[in-house]
Amino acid sequence: MIFNSLTFVVFFAVVLALHYAPWFSWHQKKINLLVASYLFYAAWNPPFVILLWISTVVDWWAAQWMVRSKRDSTRRAWMIISVVVNLGMLAYFKYGEFLLQNFTALAASMGIAYQPPSWDIVLPVGISFYTFATLSYTLDVYLKRAKPAQHFLDYALFVTFFPHLVAGPIMRPTELVPQFAEPRRATAHQLYFGFALIILGLFQKVVLADGFLAPVVEKVYDAREGVPMMLDAWVATLAFSGQIFCDFAGYSTTAIGVAMGLGFAMPDNFRFPYAAVGFSDFWRRWHITLSSWLRDYLYIPLGGNRHGPVRTYTALMGTMLLGGLWHGAAWTFVVWGGLHGLYLGVERWLRGKFGGWTPGPASIFALGILTYVLVNITWVFFRAKDFTVASTMLTSMAGMAANPVPMIALLPMIYAMVIVGGIVATHWAMRDKTLEIAVERTPAWLVGGLLSIMAIAVVAEQGKGSAFIYFQF
Amino acid sequence: MPSSTSSSDPPKGIVRKEGALPAGLRLTASDRPGQAQPVPTRDVPKQPWGRILAAVAVALVAGVTALELNARRLGLEAGDLDNSEVAWVKERVRSENADVAIVGDSRILFDTDLDRFEALTGTRPVQLAIHGTSALTLLEDAASNPNFRGLLIVGLADTMFFQPFDGYGEYVRRRGDFTSPSGRIGIEIDHMLQRRLAFLDSNHRLSVAAHRLDPDFRPGVEGPKHDIWKVSQVGEQRATWMWPRVEYDPEYRARTRWAWKGFKEKFPYTPQLMAKGHARAKAAVETIRARGGDVVFVRPPSAPELRVNEEAQVPRAKGWDRLIANTQSVGVHADDLPPDVQNLTLPEWSHLNRKCATVFTDAYVRRLAALTPRIRLRANAPPPLTRVDCV
């Protein structure tokens, strides 16, 4: 189920009631949470719960055997079993059709007319997220960075804990498993602030992303005919930058609020990314739990920055290409990742070249705007359903389209630009703060007023919209 | 405020670089490369949260009350259940073993009174028509339903039937996406609230209403003002009828007529496209008949203002007449009904008003009962209706 649904409202009310019911022991409450989490997942497609069980059991035993074995080769074998099982499931469900399509195209290019069987495999929601979460467990144990979980129930609950299960933040076992060791109970203020975070997250998702920004994006990116004018192409792309941020940051904020209401802490996943100056800064602020996962389990093992510049640039590009592919089984995502790899590589080279330069405030702002514009170029490949659409959009954005037509009405355009402008301005105002500090410095009447407006707007928008964009990844 | 979800002690192994992190920021995984991440820190800002949330709750109640009052002022009513993919899929499941099911576009959807149908025959048909959707798409979907062996009533507007697009019903081919347990539970909760609250109408969501304020200032753009606004109300089991405001509000009615544009937009209905449509229809009808079901066609009325353009694009001889002959089916064309059920009221030219929908249903069901043994009038069926019952 999704957070912006009435089903979830009822579900969460029941979970809260059970979690704070005085007659359950902590052990029983953990079982309640585990069962609730399986129900949360099964509410999409019940059979896919089996995949969660496979992932849980395989990684639990792999870690146990890794610790028990004395020989490195045995430890390595168990680590490889875990990686193969997890990535195997991911590859089959997420990349099977993509691989088949590419194989068919390759065969056709060699004159072989191969007709593949139809691929009717449904992508299990959240498989990319929980696969990475469980993989980090066996990899941390293998790398001797962490000890295995003491109790199977705690580990199973870590894998399945519903706030982070289907769209992150991608949690590491060391972040969550210890929290299950002792009874968790939110204070009244934590519960209330959790609700405030839920309102903020749902407002971002339901009102801003789905209600006001998505229609502007769809109008241009999903247009059946006509080439957009330069203005329309830019507005749609900027609107998408706002939509994807509000969609995903909204999910993360809601998830953090839900977990906080139950007494658990979840990590930040966004740190005002549209105020980033440079791309390494952007990736320290955008989808932090994914970028740090890729850094720790891909970039560093590939050599990181320890083996000379060539190896570093290769590792950087390889990590970003795979990061792109993680988002979706399509070459457009690979190009998106490749562009970010290129940006990071160029930035690294420039830092080496101009390492002594200290930019002033104006330069920082200019570099920040440049970063935002270049990030928007990459969003074109992220949003476009194929390269034809991406090419059309980039041509229009460059003002080089032949016979372009206007596509977005005046008022939706104004709404989109006000919202996106507001997001970017807020990110700059908050770039060196946390949300909590900003809230603390705001008068209570204003906090209450803003939350009231957001809550009413969520109800008025009704939240009957689509699932979160990141669910498809 | 220290909290049980925060940890004030820096976890072991954290790489702390003095000055690396501006004051006011907390560490995240991005600041701790290559290590097992510790339990995260989550603070609660100092605020009177109890009072703030209480104020939010009061404001929310006041806001919902205002939304509800405004909705009723606009003519929205509680009990209008809205249409949705999940609601359609729910009926699609019900149709598996139904005696009678209806497919088609918005005309048969609006123009069929399910209660009247049931009163006449003792059978309540399953309503599967979808606005803005080719009946051909839904006819083929019914053919793909191996359990359906009943009578399928295909209602169509000729131009919509032969167009090569699925229209709004493009989700029909992806109906598996709308069968999740959460979707089914969600729609039950949604309907429970919609039976009591009028403002929960997707046509009047905040963003939809805000977009409609567009002043049409930008030349060359068909803004939200040009989109179709609310035209229908939906009851239980997708029973659908015209929203009363289209009938009683001349301005709103004029706007809806304007939105249809007189069906003047010409789509190239080439001979090849028409032949393809006929072939698809024939194949689907034969599939249903081969397993013991049957298919009949109904062509609801449209006003002369639209009819002239419909006829110019898909003439009756090339569309309806050939469809009936080609599929060896029986059908009821509105033009062929008795004179006392002609010239029914079509407020926005395309759909009958609610009362006339009952009259039309009465007329076409009686005609079908004479044409096919699969529909029988009850012995105690109510007396026939005529135009005077709806004017």
Side-chain angles (χ1 to χ4, degrees):
Chain A
M1 69 188 76
I2 51 180
F3 288 158
N4 57 325
S5 68
L6 290 166
T7 315
F8 181 75
V9 173
V10 174
F11 168 85
F12 189 48
V14 173
V15 170
L16 271 181
L18 290 174
H19 193 66
Y20 290 108
W23 52 83
F24 290 121
S25 67
W26 177 236
H27 183 74
Q28 287 168 327
K29 284 180 181 179
K30 286 195 286 190
I31 291 172
N32 287 343
L33 283 177
L34 185 66
V35 171
S37 297
Y38 285 130
L39 287 175
F40 178 86
Y41 193 73
W44 264 290
N45 198 332
F48 283 144
V49 171
I50 294 168
L51 295 179
L52 271 178
W53 292 339
I54 291 173
S55 195
T56 306
V57 170
V58 166
D59 289 327
W60 166 261
W61 282 110
Q64 294 292 317
W65 285 109
M66 257 189 258
V67 171
R68 287 176 200 175
S69 58
K70 302 263 191 302
R71 294 164 56 191
D72 277 352
S73 58
T74 314
R75 293 180 69 253
R76 180 184 288 268
W78 279 109
M79 183 271 287
I80 289 170
I81 287 170
S82 165
V83 170
V84 167
V85 169
N86 281 290
L87 293 187
M89 285 198 306
L90 189 64
Y92 177 74
F93 285 101
K94 188 164 175 173
Y95 301 105
E97 187 174 17
F98 179 65
L99 292 171
L100 202 59
Q101 283 171 353
N102 282 283
F103 177 76
T104 308
L106 186 68
S109 71
M110 293 189 294
I112 304 165
Y114 172 65
Q115 194 65 36
S118 65
W119 189 272
D120 291 328
I121 306 296
V122 179
L123 178 67
V125 173
I127 189 168
S128 308
F129 287 90
Y130 65 73
T131 298
F132 272 28
T134 57
L135 265 181
S136 67
Y137 174 64
T138 42
L139 291 174
D140 274 357
V141 172
Y142 174 75
L143 295 166
K144 297 183 178 173
R145 290 204 291 234
K147 290 178 180 172
Q150 296 291 307
H151 305 289
F152 180 75
L153 174 60
D154 292 359
Y155 178 69
L157 190 48
F158 150 72
V159 176
T160 320
F161 190 49
F162 70 89
H164 79 91
L165 175 62
V166 289
I170 300 170
M171 294 192 75
R172 313 277 180 97
T174 44
E175 292 177 304
L176 194 51
V177 171
Q179 298 191 51
F180 297 126
E182 300 293 329
R184 306 293 289 194
R185 187 182 177 87
T187 63
H189 276 206
Q190 282 171 340
L191 186 62
Y192 297 149
F193 186 54
F195 283 137
L197 290 175
I198 292 170
I199 292 171
L200 174 62
L202 291 180
F203 175 76
Q204 286 179 295
K205 161 66 181 170
V206 173
V207 181
L208 300 183
D210 286 355
F212 284 89
L213 296 175
V216 172
V217 179
E218 286 161 13
K219 195 84 180 172
V220 177
Y221 273 87
D222 298 339
R224 284 189 179 163
E225 53 192 37
V227 177
M229 292 177 76
M230 187 178 177
L231 177 66
D232 298 72
W234 270 106
V235 168
T237 302
L238 292 171
F240 182 67
S241 79
Q243 184 197 352
I244 192 159
F245 172 77
C246 289
D247 188 275
F248 196 24
Y251 185 92
S252 297
T253 307
T254 309
I256 290 166
V258 166
M260 183 176 267
L262 293 165
F264 296 93
M266 283 173 63
D268 289 333
N269 210 19
F270 290 88
R271 192 196 272 164
F272 309 107
Y274 290 144
V277 177
F279 298 95
S280 51
D281 189 26
F282 178 78
W283 282 104
R284 278 195 295 268
R285 294 169 176 274
W286 180 276
H287 203 346
I288 294 166
T289 55
L290 172 70
S291 58
S292 60
W293 197 100
L294 292 172
R295 177 199 63 200
D296 290 348
Y297 302 108
L298 204 55
Y299 174 70
I300 293 175
L302 282 173
N305 56 6
R306 303 185 309 274
H307 302 284
V310 174
R311 182 80 174 268
T312 299
Y313 288 120
T314 306
L316 206 54
M317 184 56 88
T319 303
M320 294 315 291
L321 288 174
L322 286 170
L325 205 54
W326 177 87
H327 282 86
W331 288 109
T332 46
F333 287 112
V334 178
V335 171
W336 172 79
L339 275 175
H340 272 285
L342 180 71
Y343 291 167
L344 286 165
V346 170
E347 179 183 306
R348 189 174 186 85
W349 180 77
L350 287 172
R351 280 182 193 277
K353 203 85 175 160
F354 303 99
W357 180 52
T358 308
S363 300
I364 286 178
F365 184 71
L367 288 172
I369 296 297
L370 180 66
T371 306
Y372 179 60
V373 170
L374 290 175
V375 164
N376 270 282
I377 303 292
T378 70
W379 285 140
V380 172
F381 290 96
F382 200 92
R383 177 58 177 80
K385 65 175 185 288
D386 53 41
F387 285 113
T388 308
V389 174
S391 164
T392 303
M393 291 300 295
L394 288 173
T395 308
S396 292
M397 287 161 74
M400 292 161 63
N403 305 317
V405 293
M407 288 184 173
I408 310 169
L410 181 71
L411 213 50
M413 192 185 286
I414 292 172
Y415 293 148
M417 287 306 91
V418 167
I419 292 167
V420 173
I423 291 169
V424 175
T426 306
H427 284 208
W428 275 92
M430 299 279 292
R431 74 188 302 270
D432 292 334
K433 296 187 188 79
T434 60
L435 173 71
E436 286 79 357
I437 283 180
V439 171
E440 197 162 291
R441 291 174 185 169
T442 307
W445 64 267
L446 188 54
V447 174
L450 289 172
L451 280 174
S452 299
I453 291 168
M454 284 192 258
I456 293 167
V458 169
V459 174
E461 189 60 35
Q462 302 172 34
K464 289 177 190 167
S466 50
F468 293 85
I469 293 175
Y470 264 68
F471 282 178
Q472 63 189 290
F473 309 142
Chain B
M1 167 181 293
S3 69
S4 64
T5 54
S6 70
S7 169
S8 53
D9 298 326
K12 284 177 186 173
I14 289 181
V15 181
R16 270 218 194 274
K17 291 179 187 172
E18 277 303 314
L21 205 63
L25 282 185
R26 60 173 158 255
L27 294 171
T28 68
S30 66
D31 307 305
R32 295 178 290 243
Q35 59 181 278
Q37 301 298 324
V39 172
T41 301
R42 284 246 77 94
D43 306 317
V44 177
K46 283 177 194 161
Q47 288 285 3
W49 286 110
R51 275 185 283 156
I52 286 174
L53 265 290
V56 170
V58 171
L60 193 57
V61 171
V64 167
T65 306
L67 287 170
E68 183 66 10
L69 290 173
N70 184 54
R72 292 183 187 236
R73 184 186 63 80
L74 292 169
L76 303 178
E77 294 172 19
D80 185 351
L81 300 184
D82 233 343
N83 235 319
S84 69
E85 292 89 344
V86 179
W88 184 84
V89 171
K90 195 176 154 190
E91 292 305 298
R92 172 64 165 69
V93 171
R94 252 179 19 95
S95 77
E96 301 241 324
N97 298 302
D99 291 331
V100 182
I102 298 173
V103 296
D105 48 60
S106 63
R107 292 210 180 132
I108 199 73
L109 180 69
F110 280 57
D111 297 355
T112 297
D113 180 339
L114 298 182
D115 292 339
R116 187 71 184 180
F117 199 116
E118 189 174 9
L120 287 167
T121 65
T123 302
R124 189 174 182 85
V126 176
Q127 180 56 277
L128 292 172
I130 303 172
H131 68 286
T133 299
S134 168
L136 194 47
T137 301
L138 293 156
L139 169 61
E140 288 180 327
D141 178 67
S144 73
N145 177 355
N147 297 322
F148 181 74
R149 293 183 173 80
L151 177 70
L152 189 72
I153 299 173
V154 182
L156 70 148
D158 317 55
T159 47
M160 190 75 77
F161 188 85
F162 289 101
Q163 71 174 14
F165 315 116
D166 292 338
Y168 290 108
E170 56 198 10
Y171 61 84
V172 167
R173 299 183 206 280
R174 299 184 291 113
R175 63 175 183 277
D177 296 353
F178 303 97
T179 55
S180 68
S182 62
R184 290 203 295 270
I185 296 166
I187 199 168
E188 294 304 330
I189 301 171
D190 213 22
H191 283 179
M192 195 176 73
L193 292 171
Q194 284 179 318
R195 288 186 191 105
R196 290 160 181 80
L197 296 166
F199 82 92
L200 294 173
D201 186 318
S202 59
N203 295 288
H204 285 269
R205 291 163 50 198
L206 177 66
S207 60
V208 175
H211 282 138
R212 280 187 192 144
L213 298 172
D214 185 72
D216 265 353
F217 274 172
R218 197 163 179 224
V221 181
E222 287 213 341
K225 242 187 171 177
H226 297 76
D227 290 343
I228 311 304
W229 292 11
K230 183 177 175 65
V231 187
S232 62
Q233 285 187 323
V234 183
E236 305 292 340
Q237 296 173 336
R238 297 186 78 248
T240 306
W241 56 89
M242 182 168 285
W243 186 31
R245 192 168 162 190
V246 184
E247 293 184 49
Y248 69 70
D249 183 341
E251 196 180 327
Y252 195 85
R253 184 168 61 238
R255 216 216 66 79
T256 312
R257 284 178 181 171
W258 175 64
W260 299 138
K261 299 182 183 75
F263 284 19
K264 282 179 193 160
E265 280 185 3
K266 287 200 172 144
F267 181 81
Y269 290 93
T270 60
Q272 292 80 7
L273 183 67
M274 296 291 290
K276 195 175 173 186
H278 283 300
R280 283 171 61 192
K282 189 170 191 291
V285 169
E286 285 174 355
T287 303
I288 292 170
R289 285 190 182 137
R291 60 169 180 258
D294 200 5
V295 178
V296 295
F297 292 88
V298 174
R299 204 298 187 183
S302 51
E305 289 84 351
L306 299 188
R307 187 69 191 278
V308 64
N309 294 320
E310 292 176 303
E311 194 63 26
Q313 293 175 74
V314 182
R316 175 171 171 168
K318 291 183 180 174
W320 171 265
D321 292 346
R322 196 172 149 201
L323 180 68
I324 297 297
N326 209 34
T327 57
Q328 296 180 309
S329 301
V330 296
V332 180
H333 196 293
D335 292 353
D336 303 334
L337 289 171
D340 61 351
V341 286
Q342 294 291 333
N343 300 318
L344 299 175
T345 308
L346 296 141
E348 35 68 277
W349 298 338
S350 189
H351 308 95
L352 295 164
N353 69 12
R354 189 171 183 176
K355 281 187 177 175
C356 284
T358 306
V359 173
F360 177 68
T361 305
D362 185 273
Y364 90 69
V365 171
R366 286 177 194 280
R367 183 82 186 112
L368 284 179
L371 293 171
T372 171
R374 287 189 180 249
I375 288 188
R376 289 203 182 101
L377 292 183
R378 294 166 67 180
N380 59 347
L385 300 171
T386 65
R387 185 174 61 248
V388 295
D389 293 301
C390 68
V391 287

